[in-house]
Amino acid sequence: DSGVTQTPKHLITATGQRVTLRCSPRSGDLSVYWYQQSLDQGLQFLIQYYNGEERAKGNILERFSAQQFPDLHSELNLSSLELGDSALYFCASSVSGNNEQFFGPGTRLTVL
Amino acid sequence: AQSVTQLGSHVSVSEGALVLLRCNYSSSVPPYLFWYVQYPNQGLQLLLKYTTGATLVKGINGFEAEFKKSETSFHLTKPSAHMSDAAEYFCAVSDRYGGSQGNLIFGKGTKLSVKP
């Protein structure tokens, strides 16, 4: 158990819909990272937050957005969902940049 | 831009045999290097990392990796494979400095099978 929790574990929805994935980092970790794992794209970095502020963006689509709240939990919002958005979405946390990242168990999103 | 290449999407070894998983990176400055393992239906777990200092890095479960700057490689080895090592292994890099510090760039992964 990494100490990072993600909800829900599984999510099935339809094209065009909007979903929110939630992540609670390990106690004391200020950085939160979101990654997408799909069969064709592999593991891709999406976005990083540090203590409530966006720190860096990776290959995140404009339809996707995220935020980190004062209690340090983070949410990833995916809108106008397409079939190709079906993937495993991982959250990771660390004390700060370049410290070891601890990964959550992931949320498996299926878009039908 | 940084990138990671893992040679071989599938590697199969016999129990007790040497495990060698290959990773080459591309980076304008020496990066931080990582190996992660993913068991079925689970998240990623850090095996080992190279930041500075000794180029031979020892990790958990008997794995080790050697940073070779001249070859831009960071291959993962284990002298004797166990059935429990069957999993997918990911090599990753991150910037040492700057705004993207800490963001992991992953290779495509290598699935390791261990035969009895």
Side-chain angles (χ1 to χ4, degrees), chain A residues 5-81:
Chain A
T5 60
Q6 290 187 248
T7 56
K9 194 173 176 64
H10 299 278
L11 198 49
I12 301 174
T13 188
T15 54
Q17 295 299 303
R18 173 189 169 94
V19 297
T20 297
L21 312 183
R22 182 188 169 100
C23 168
S24 293
R26 290 188 324 151
S27 177
D29 284 357
L30 299 178
S31 281
V32 168
Y33 308 79
W34 286 97
Y35 295 88
Q36 179 195 59
Q37 185 177 32
S38 63
L39 281 175
D40 48 348
Q41 299 292 328
L43 261 166
Q44 289 196 98
F45 164 70
L46 294 179
I47 196 164
Q48 179 200 4
Y49 278 83
Y50 177 79
N51 202 21
E53 294 189 5
E54 183 183 302
R55 177 65 65 89
K57 269 185 174 179
N59 297 323
I60 188 166
L61 299 171
E62 285 191 13
R63 301 183 285 108
F64 296 0
S65 65
Q67 53 186 326
Q68 186 179 26
F69 294 87
D71 67 352
L72 300 178
H73 91 270
S74 178
E75 293 180 356
L76 179 67
N77 301 296
L78 315 176
S79 62
S80 303
L81 285 168

Side-chain angles (χ1 to χ4, degrees), chain A residues 33 35 37 40-43 45 48 55-56 88 90 97-98 100-101 103-105, chain B residues 32 36 38 42-44 46 49 90 94-96 99-104 106 108:
Chain A
Y33 308 79
Y35 295 88
Q37 185 177 32
D40 48 348
Q41 299 292 328
L43 261 166
F45 164 70
Q48 179 200 4
R55 177 65 65 89
L88 254 176
F90 287 109
N98 266 339
E100 176 181 348
Q101 291 184 31
F103 280 75
Chain B
Y32 288 168
Y36 280 83
Q38 185 179 27
Q42 292 188 30
L44 284 81
L46 181 67
K49 64 179 179 181
F90 293 91
S94 74
D95 278 331
R96 288 177 179 267
S100 60
Q101 183 187 79
N103 307 330
L104 295 171
F106 286 93
K108 294 287 188 186

Side-chain angles (χ1 to χ4, degrees), chain B residues 64-78:
Chain B
E64 61 183 38
E66 186 171 11
F67 169 60
K68 291 188 176 180
K69 184 179 176 182
S70 61
E71 298 177 9
T72 60
S73 69
F74 191 58
H75 301 330
L76 182 71
T77 60
K78 181 173 181 178

Side-chain angles (χ1 to χ4, degrees), chain B residues 29-105:
Chain B
V29 295
Y32 288 168
L33 294 158
F34 306 81
W35 275 99
Y36 280 83
V37 61
Q38 185 179 27
Y39 297 100
N41 300 313
Q42 292 188 30
L44 284 81
Q45 181 183 10
L46 181 67
L47 277 178
L48 49 81
K49 64 179 179 181
Y50 170 77
T51 54
T52 57
T55 56
L56 183 62
V57 181
K58 294 187 185 301
I60 63 171
N61 302 338
F63 285 93
E64 61 183 38
E66 186 171 11
F67 169 60
K68 291 188 176 180
K69 184 179 176 182
S70 61
E71 298 177 9
T72 60
S73 69
F74 191 58
H75 301 330
L76 182 71
T77 60
K78 181 173 181 178
S80 176
H82 295 159
M83 297 296 292
S84 60
D85 294 327
E88 191 156 19
Y89 292 80
F90 293 91
C91 182
V93 301
S94 74
D95 278 331
R96 288 177 179 267
Y97 315 107
S100 60
Q101 183 187 79
N103 307 330
L104 295 171
I105 307 300

